[in-house]
Amino acid sequence: MPKGYLEHANISVTDLERSTALLVDLLGWHKRWEGPSLNNGHTIHVGGEVDYVALYTGEHVTGNFAKGHPLNHIAFVVDDLDAAEEVVKRHGLEPFNHADYEPGRRFYFFGWDGIEFEVVNYD
């Protein structure tokens, strides 16, 4: 049976630099690559050494995405949930749905384009 891992997710956003700054601040990631992409768009890959999020934009990207159509959320694991929540707030976004559960703690937030993110800590 093959084995694998998730290398990246590709999401559309209206402001590449704003979304890149959030992921860099929230996760300690870096900009891995940037360049032109499909349909006269532009892409930034922001992530770690083996995984990343491809942030894509173009004139046709308008934001206002609805949860569950087709994406429910993207989840990130952090080593300090409280510090991560402060980063989200500093970027002007509102954390919600805080929960402590076995085996960890979490909260959610919506990005500027309506994409939902979960932030979780398992310590």
Side-chain angles (χ1 to χ4, degrees), residues 2-119:
K3 294 191 185 262
Y5 64 92
L6 181 65
E7 179 200 32
H8 76 274
N10 187 324
I11 59 175
S12 295
V13 297
T14 54
D15 187 325
L16 286 177
E17 294 301 330
R18 177 176 66 182
S19 296
T20 297
L22 172 65
L23 295 179
V24 166
D25 291 348
L26 180 64
L27 303 168
W29 284 356
H30 63 276
K31 191 184 294 187
R32 294 170 39 131
W33 178 83
E34 179 176 1
S37 55
L38 187 65
N39 296 325
N40 296 316
H42 198 82
T43 297
I44 294 176
H45 292 178
V46 59
E49 297 309 312
V50 297
D51 54 354
Y52 63 96
V53 174
L55 302 171
Y56 168 82
T57 199
E59 290 183 14
H60 59 288
V61 177
T62 59
N64 298 319
F65 301 114
K67 176 182 166 66
H69 295 270
L71 180 69
N72 285 313
H73 66 263
I74 297 173
F76 299 115
V77 177
V78 297
D79 62 353
D80 186 333
L81 193 67
D82 296 327
E85 183 170 2
E86 289 306 312
V87 168
V88 170
K89 289 177 182 177
R90 275 198 316 272
H91 281 267
L93 301 168
E94 185 176 337
F96 67 93
N97 199 17
H98 297 76
D100 292 353
Y101 66 101
E102 188 62 37
R105 298 175 32 214
R106 69 175 177 220
F107 69 86
Y108 295 83
F109 69 94
F110 283 102
W112 300 277
D113 298 302
I115 298 169
E116 186 179 58
F117 298 93
E118 177 182 2
V119 183

